[in-house]
Amino acid sequence: MSESFDSKVTKTYDATQIQVLEGLEAVRKRPGMYIGSTSIRGLHHLVYEIVDNSIDEALAGYCTHIEVSISDGEIITVCDNGRGIPVGTLEKEGISALEAVFTILHAGGKFGGGGYKVAGGLHGVGASVVNALSEWVHVEVRTGGKSYQISFERGVTKEPLKVVGEAQDSGTRVTFKADAEIFEEVVYDFDTLLTRLREQAFLNAGVRITLRDTRGGELNEKSMCYQGGICEFVTHLNRNKTPVHQQVIYMTAQREDSEAEVAMQYNDSYSETILSFANNINTSEGGMHETGFKSALTKVLNDYARKYNILKDSDKNLSGEDAREGLTAIISVKLENAQFEGQTKTKLGNSEMRTIVESMMNEKLSTYFEENPSVAKAVLDKALTASRAREAARKAREATRRKSALDGAQLPGKLADCQEKDASLTEIYIVEGDSAGGSAINGRDRRFQAILPLWGKMLNVEKARIDRVFGNDKLSPLVTAFGAGIGDDFDLSRLRYGKIILMADADVDGSHIRTLLLTFFFRFMRPLIENGNVYIAQPPLYKVTKGKNYMKYAYSDRELSRIIEEVGENADIQRYKGLGEMNPEQLWETTMNPEYRTLLKVEMADAVSADEIFTILMGEKVEPRKEFIETHAKYVTNLDI
């Protein structure tokens, strides 16, 4: 950063810079307001809140190493070598600044007191919320040559601040145990935390972040430090794809007390990956900085193509979708007084950031293309190919609509529709094969359950553009039946069914079909997954009978063992290899009856990780897939030979 951008951060950090806005209330009663939910996602959010405070120290230039540890009992420790949270007394509150930070909402050094120039933890609720939602919290601070300690239980001070010794360095260590009374389950996932911490390491070039897991007596540790910053981030995201141009394009600009940087590289895939950040917070819903990036990118490509007659006078301009096909980009802005939507900070509202990013892109990307014509040509070739495919898809879509209008059959011929028209009350089962489809149709409740049988080999959309989807007789019935469109035209409000349930055989072929369908939904109907409309049916694996009066279904090998233990070894066991082996009554009572069935909701906690998995499993490159299989082979529990 430039000196002007950094100059307002005071070199001292003491109690006068901790400002209290209001007291702590109702966090335990309404935790979802502060961390999103009490699910596994909310649990991990506790860690992020404490880490974000350490990251803010790094942003201010005082922290170079952050360590996160998970120990037995699901205990989290976050340690940094920053300045240490101030320990001086706040006159108005009559308590130490450290105690205020952990017990009072909106108490922190990020409200203009000079402690921070920019920060992700802008609302000052992170530490106090973690405290309120934990069984206990223990904080150690090293500052001013002394070491201090304070302890809390469920948001209340248990042991007041005290000096425990001398300190040669400075920093903060926060140890906490999430409250099992609040969270549905208290078990941390190493990979989930690793993904978030790696992201922060990329965004803060030169800062080392270490994740350590010592649960169960085994050490699992990953230490990350990226001098290349967001350029290395793009390289990491593209590691399983083939770049269209080798060099990552990097641009940066500063204006008064704001800064923007962009790193981008095209690859040979048909999807885009754009991640945007504001003060190191992932703005998953975008915002002004992302809007500025997209509009400028499309303009620069069209201007270049017109200037060098790559686009003729009669040609249409490239659309934004054409310009972004195969693009991986990171947009990172840092600014004072960032305006986020809600505590979860998913969208940036500062309009000035659109201007900064847009003008930077217009100037610097244009210059880059002028100086690197081979890169510009490769990017434009890809965009033009995307444009032609999109036009072909549009014509195919219109032809489909005209045909439907002429023959009156607007829904697929094999669709057994339901009677209910209210989408919130309906569900559609996607079933592979006519045999299983017949059982499902005869076994369903036709009032609200629709059945769409699919057959034959399905298209792997990871290796195909949108124009091929419209010509595919396995996927086009899905598009027509759902009624919500596809790709850029997808509109969730037009969806004809509230639940889309994938019902495939409980074998390898069934898993493959589900994966192909999920790939299709992720690439061309992602709002279905984001909105929680997609489910996976769980048909039984076994039918256990004994004599004339005993019959039970087992949905797993563990459940089968429990049943056999209950009824004895001489029971008859039938292993279902396919849904077609069940008659309509059996299929209804085991898999389709809302009172007894088990459905798995398909959720997407991390779009980047999901994109990576689909690329590895369904993409062109063999080596990443081979490596993935070798790494995860030991976890396979059900493999058909």
Side-chain angles (χ1 to χ4, degrees), residues 389-446:
R390 205 170 302 278
E391 180 64 17
R394 184 187 64 78
K395 290 179 179 177
R397 184 162 54 233
E398 288 181 354
T400 302
R401 286 171 180 164
R402 283 196 300 271
K403 182 181 178 183
S404 297
L406 288 171
D407 61 21
Q410 295 190 10
L411 293 173
K414 285 186 176 281
L415 172 68
D417 208 0
C418 56
Q419 296 167 343
E420 176 63 56
K421 299 304 179 186
D422 183 347
S424 66
L425 303 175
T426 62
E427 51 193 44
I428 182 170
Y429 279 83
I430 311 301
V431 187
E432 200 275 330
D434 284 339
S435 176
S439 292
I441 289 171
N442 291 322
R444 66 174 175 150
D445 185 330
R446 64 183 303 147

Side-chain angles (χ1 to χ4, degrees), residues 257-358:
D257 51 9
S258 300
E259 178 183 25
E261 57 177 343
V262 166
M264 54 184 279
Q265 184 185 45
Y266 285 86
N267 58 68
D268 64 350
S269 75
Y270 306 126
S271 56
E272 64 181 75
T273 300
I274 298 177
L275 299 181
S276 61
F277 301 85
N279 294 353
N280 287 341
I281 299 296
N282 185 346
T283 44
S284 57
E285 292 186 46
M288 289 298 177
H289 52 336
E290 194 170 313
T291 300
F293 169 82
K294 289 179 177 179
S295 61
L297 174 65
T298 307
K299 181 179 185 302
V300 169
L301 283 177
N302 278 306
D303 287 352
Y304 187 93
R306 295 288 180 194
K307 180 178 179 180
Y308 291 99
N309 211 28
I310 298 170
L311 280 177
K312 312 298 183 185
D313 291 341
S314 59
D315 292 333
K316 291 182 180 178
N317 271 351
L318 296 168
S319 70
E321 291 75 22
D322 302 330
R324 297 191 301 271
E325 183 179 286
L327 173 66
T328 297
I330 305 295
I331 308 155
S332 178
V333 300
K334 296 182 174 71
L335 67 161
E336 208 173 357
N337 300 319
Q339 298 166 12
F340 292 108
E341 290 190 3
Q343 163 60 13
T344 50
K345 312 180 187 87
T346 54
K347 191 171 185 178
L348 183 69
N350 297 70
S351 58
E352 70 272 16
M353 294 316 301
R354 171 174 183 167
T355 305
I356 293 172
V357 173
E358 205 163 7

Side-chain angles (χ1 to χ4, degrees), residues 39-49 183 187-190 192-193:
S39 66
I40 195 74
R41 188 180 304 183
L43 177 71
H44 288 78
H45 194 87
L46 296 187
V47 184
Y48 306 154
E49 287 286 4
F183 294 95
V187 179
Y188 293 96
D189 181 69
F190 183 88
T192 298
L193 292 175

Side-chain angles (χ1 to χ4, degrees), residues 181-229:
E181 293 178 3
I182 298 291
F183 294 95
E184 298 166 13
E185 184 181 18
V186 181
V187 179
Y188 293 96
D189 181 69
F190 183 88
D191 290 335
T192 298
L193 292 175
L194 180 63
T195 299
R196 171 68 176 238
L197 296 178
R198 181 190 288 123
E199 192 176 87
Q200 294 298 325
F202 281 127
L203 291 167
N204 296 274
V207 175
R208 180 165 296 281
I209 302 180
T210 301
L211 176 60
R212 185 179 299 110
D213 187 351
T214 59
R215 290 173 294 183
E218 296 182 6
L219 175 64
N220 186 9
E221 182 174 292
K222 178 73 175 178
S223 191
M224 301 158 287
C225 182
Y226 304 103
Q227 298 296 339

Side-chain angles (χ1 to χ4, degrees), residues 551-579:
M551 189 272 290
K552 269 193 176 181
Y553 295 100
Y555 291 81
S556 66
D557 289 329
R558 182 181 299 176
E559 191 174 355
L560 176 64
S561 300
R562 191 165 59 247
I563 293 173
I564 292 175
E565 191 176 313
E566 174 188 311
V567 302
E569 293 289 336
N570 58 343
D572 292 323
I573 302 171
Q574 179 186 355
R575 168 70 158 91
Y576 288 117
K577 295 294 290 181
L579 295 170

Side-chain angles (χ1 to χ4, degrees), residues 7 27 49 63 130 214 262 277 397 473 485 507 527 541 551 610 641:
S7 60
V27 178
E49 287 286 4
C63 173
V130 172
T214 59
V262 166
F277 301 85
R397 184 162 54 233
D473 60 355
D507 58 13
L541 290 175
M551 189 272 290
I641 303 298

Side-chain angles (χ1 to χ4, degrees), residues 7-249:
S7 60
K8 289 187 182 178
V9 178
T10 60
K11 300 307 178 184
T12 58
Y13 183 43
D14 55 35
T16 63
Q17 295 165 3
I18 302 297
Q19 301 175 4
V20 180
L21 301 187
E22 64 179 58
L24 179 63
E25 294 177 11
V27 178
R28 289 180 63 82
K29 288 185 178 180
R30 296 181 179 84
M33 289 177 59
Y34 300 91
I35 58 170
S37 74
T38 55
S39 66
I40 195 74
R41 188 180 304 183
L43 177 71
H44 288 78
H45 194 87
L46 296 187
V47 184
Y48 306 154
E49 287 286 4
I50 300 299
V51 170
D52 283 350
N53 290 337
S54 296
I55 290 293
D56 289 339
E57 277 290 280
L59 271 172
Y62 295 101
C63 173
T64 59
H65 192 191
I66 301 167
E67 296 183 48
V68 180
S69 301
I70 322 168
S71 54
D72 286 333
E74 305 300 323
I75 294 169
I76 295 289
T77 300
V78 179
C79 183
D80 67 53
N81 64 348
R83 292 169 289 181
I85 299 173
V87 295
T89 301
L90 296 173
E91 290 184 17
K92 182 180 177 182
E93 283 70 31
I95 58 175
S96 69
L98 173 58
E99 185 173 354
V101 165
F102 277 86
T103 59
I104 303 175
L105 274 181
H106 303 299
K110 302 161 190 176
F111 301 109
Y116 294 94
K117 182 71 171 76
V118 297
L122 293 176
H123 297 162
V125 304
S128 56
V129 166
V130 172
N131 191 15
L133 301 179
S134 297
E135 286 185 31
W136 53 263
V137 176
H138 182 70
V139 186
E140 303 170 51
V141 169
R142 306 178 308 283
T143 184
K146 293 182 180 180
S147 181
Y148 300 82
Q149 286 185 0
I150 189 170
S151 297
F152 309 91
E153 285 187 3
R154 293 187 167 96
V156 178
T157 304
K158 178 70 172 177
E159 295 181 9
L161 184 68
K162 60 183 178 182
V163 178
V164 294
E166 303 294 318
Q168 301 299 316
D169 59 354
S170 63
T172 302
R173 178 190 296 269
V174 179
T175 305
F176 67 91
K177 180 176 176 59
D179 196 341
E181 293 178 3
I182 298 291
F183 294 95
E184 298 166 13
E185 184 181 18
V186 181
V187 179
Y188 293 96
D189 181 69
F190 183 88
D191 290 335
T192 298
L193 292 175
L194 180 63
T195 299
R196 171 68 176 238
L197 296 178
R198 181 190 288 123
E199 192 176 87
Q200 294 298 325
F202 281 127
L203 291 167
N204 296 274
V207 175
R208 180 165 296 281
I209 302 180
T210 301
L211 176 60
R212 185 179 299 110
D213 187 351
T214 59
R215 290 173 294 183
E218 296 182 6
L219 175 64
N220 186 9
E221 182 174 292
K222 178 73 175 178
S223 191
M224 301 158 287
C225 182
Y226 304 103
Q227 298 296 339
I230 64 171
C231 288
E232 286 195 58
F233 199 169
V234 169
T235 301
H236 171 79
L237 293 174
N238 274 345
R239 69 192 184 283
N240 295 317
K241 300 171 183 175
T242 303
V244 170
H245 52 97
Q246 291 304 311
Q247 185 182 27
V248 176
I249 303 170

